[in-house]
Amino acid sequence: MKKIITISLFFIAISFVSCIKSKEDSNSDARYQPKEYVKLKHPDWSKNATIYEVNVRQFTPEGTFKAFEAHLPRIKKMGIDIIWLMPINPIGVEKRKGTLGSEYSVKDYYGINPEFGTKDDFKHLVAKIHSMGMHVIVDWVANHSSWDNQLAKDHPDWYTKTEEGHFQPTPWYDWDDVIDFDYDQPGIRKYMTEALVYWVKDFDIDGYRCDTAGFIPTDFWDNVRAELDAVKPVFMLAEWESRDLHEKAFDMTYSWTLFDKMTAVTRDKKSISGLVEYMAHDVSTFPRNGYRMTFTDNHDINSWNGNQYANFGDGLEASMVLCSMVNGMPLVYGGQEAGLNHSLKFFDKDVIEWKETPFVSIYTTYLI
């Protein structure tokens, strides 16, 4: 009997040692180690930050960099960390929409829109923002250019063509004032990357908000991020909602889904089940170290879907608070804090009316 017990204890001990060894083997085997999806490194200053979108044209009666500077103390006091400037480049004239044209119809990627000021004015604005402890990113339009961009004459092969061989706009929208680049061509990749590096290196901006980022191959953006980070740590925001952009290229994408789930409750009077589902997916499927931008308004919504009151009604203030509290980086759209109650004109002058509203105290309370 004693012998049987001894043998049993021996086998138990062997099993115990085997379990420990198996655990140790799995712990040391790289195949079984959890891996972060996000490979890029966020700049330290972007953590727990808040972003503010600026339409320079409509921000002041003057519509200039210099005039906008006067608003910086107020914006800083509200708890803003990152200033996002809508496109600053010269606007095309050919096939221009409205009297002033779209800021997303770029005529010169190395130039400044004279409507806003000079390159020296822009440098002064960037330095002023930095002196106040904030950072600045610039809207970049890499998917298309204006018809009269010099690239269309010098490098027509860098653009997509119709079957008849003509330049073409993006076919799914009414963007007939622009023509699309072809990112199967190495030349446009090199040119666009060098232009992006130019503004970071020579003007000390801190990154970009990239228009229609998902229309462009992700491997292009992956390389752009590497080249920009070689100059300085940058912050990259993609106008898109896609997991793959977070791995190596972009710090942040849009949370259109949260906007849709919120308006389903406030505007469409549906249950909160969609919001609950959003939170579940945010925890379970969104890259753990990726940022998503949360908002109740931005220039796209303001132009296409009405204004913040139309979308949120009596639930606007609660939605603003929710965007400031959930996982992500809250956006304040310039003029929103002043109770902007209409869609700003996109191709003509339409100055924001600045006035005191309860929204300022909401943002000041929840953003700081």
Side-chain angles (χ1 to χ4, degrees), residues 237-257:
L237 163 61
E239 188 206 12
W240 212 250
E241 188 170 15
S242 178
R243 180 186 179 92
D244 63 327
L245 292 175
H246 285 274
E247 184 179 13
K248 297 178 180 179
F250 288 95
D251 301 273
M252 186 161 74
T253 55
Y254 279 46
S255 187
W256 288 110
T257 303

Side-chain angles (χ1 to χ4, degrees), residues 92-97 105 146-149 153 176-177:
V93 176
E94 185 177 349
K95 298 184 185 293
R96 170 178 284 190
K97 292 188 174 185
S105 177
S146 68
W147 287 80
D148 49 358
N149 190 304
K153 296 180 177 63
D176 51 7
D177 58 336

Side-chain angles (χ1 to χ4, degrees), residues 58-59 335 338-342 344 350-356:
Q58 315 295 22
F59 216 86
L340 186 64
N341 61 1
H342 70 284
L344 290 172
D350 186 14
V351 181
I352 297 168
E353 180 185 355
W354 293 104
K355 56 186 178 182
E356 290 293 326

Side-chain angles (χ1 to χ4, degrees), residues 318-333:
S319 299
M320 287 177 172
V321 172
L322 181 62
C323 285
S324 302
M325 301 301 289
V326 297
N327 178 44
M329 183 184 295
L331 165 75
V332 180
Y333 174 50

Side-chain angles (χ1 to χ4, degrees), residues 89-323:
N89 305 110
I91 296 169
V93 176
E94 185 177 349
K95 298 184 185 293
R96 170 178 284 190
K97 292 188 174 185
T99 57
L100 298 175
S102 169
E103 293 159 308
Y104 293 86
S105 177
V106 177
K107 188 175 182 180
D108 178 7
Y109 286 95
Y110 283 88
I112 287 284
N113 185 349
E115 181 186 338
F116 300 157
T118 66
K119 285 189 174 181
D120 285 340
D121 293 337
F122 179 61
K123 282 186 176 181
H124 189 275
L125 173 60
V126 172
K128 181 70 173 177
I129 291 171
H130 286 164
S131 73
M132 299 178 69
M134 295 184 287
H135 293 78
V136 57
I137 65 173
V138 170
D139 218 322
W140 193 260
V141 189
N143 179 67
H144 47 260
S145 78
S146 68
W147 287 80
D148 49 358
N149 190 304
Q150 189 63 34
L151 295 178
K153 296 180 177 63
D154 295 343
H155 302 282
D157 55 312
W158 290 0
Y159 290 83
T160 64
K161 305 292 194 305
T162 64
E163 291 184 359
E164 296 77 24
H166 304 305
F167 292 124
Q168 62 178 353
T170 300
W172 305 286
Y173 305 97
D174 60 342
W175 296 351
D176 51 7
D177 58 336
V178 297
I179 48 178
D180 280 8
F181 288 117
D182 179 3
Y183 276 83
D184 285 341
Q185 305 302 317
I188 185 58
R189 288 178 175 237
K190 182 174 186 292
Y191 171 89
M192 197 62 69
T193 303
E194 289 176 346
L196 284 155
V197 169
Y198 166 76
W199 291 98
V200 172
K201 191 172 183 179
D202 287 27
F203 291 81
D204 200 26
I205 66 169
D206 302 298
Y208 293 95
R209 178 268 188 187
C210 297
D211 188 62
T212 61
F215 284 176
I216 300 169
T218 303
D219 65 300
F220 165 76
W221 293 121
D222 290 346
N223 179 69
V224 164
R225 178 58 181 262
E227 294 205 31
L228 292 177
D229 274 343
V231 178
K232 63 182 284 191
V234 295
F235 182 81
M236 299 289 283
L237 163 61
E239 188 206 12
W240 212 250
E241 188 170 15
S242 178
R243 180 186 179 92
D244 63 327
L245 292 175
H246 285 274
E247 184 179 13
K248 297 178 180 179
F250 288 95
D251 301 273
M252 186 161 74
T253 55
Y254 279 46
S255 187
W256 288 110
T257 303
L258 178 60
F259 175 84
D260 291 340
K261 300 303 183 184
M262 289 190 301
T263 55
V265 175
T266 58
R267 184 188 61 206
D268 304 331
K269 309 306 178 185
K270 295 182 179 179
S271 75
I272 65 168
S273 60
L275 276 171
V276 174
E277 181 183 20
Y278 171 85
M279 299 301 177
H281 281 282
D282 184 65
V283 171
S284 303
T285 66
F286 188 77
R288 180 167 53 184
N289 197 29
Y291 298 167
R292 59 200 323 180
M293 188 171 72
T294 59
F295 49 84
T296 55
D297 208 354
N298 64 58
H299 73 266
D300 286 331
I301 295 168
N302 192 251
S303 298
W304 300 342
N305 300 344
N307 59 71
Q308 55 186 344
Y309 295 103
N311 287 315
F312 293 95
D314 293 338
L316 177 57
E317 294 186 10
S319 299
M320 287 177 172
V321 172
L322 181 62
C323 285

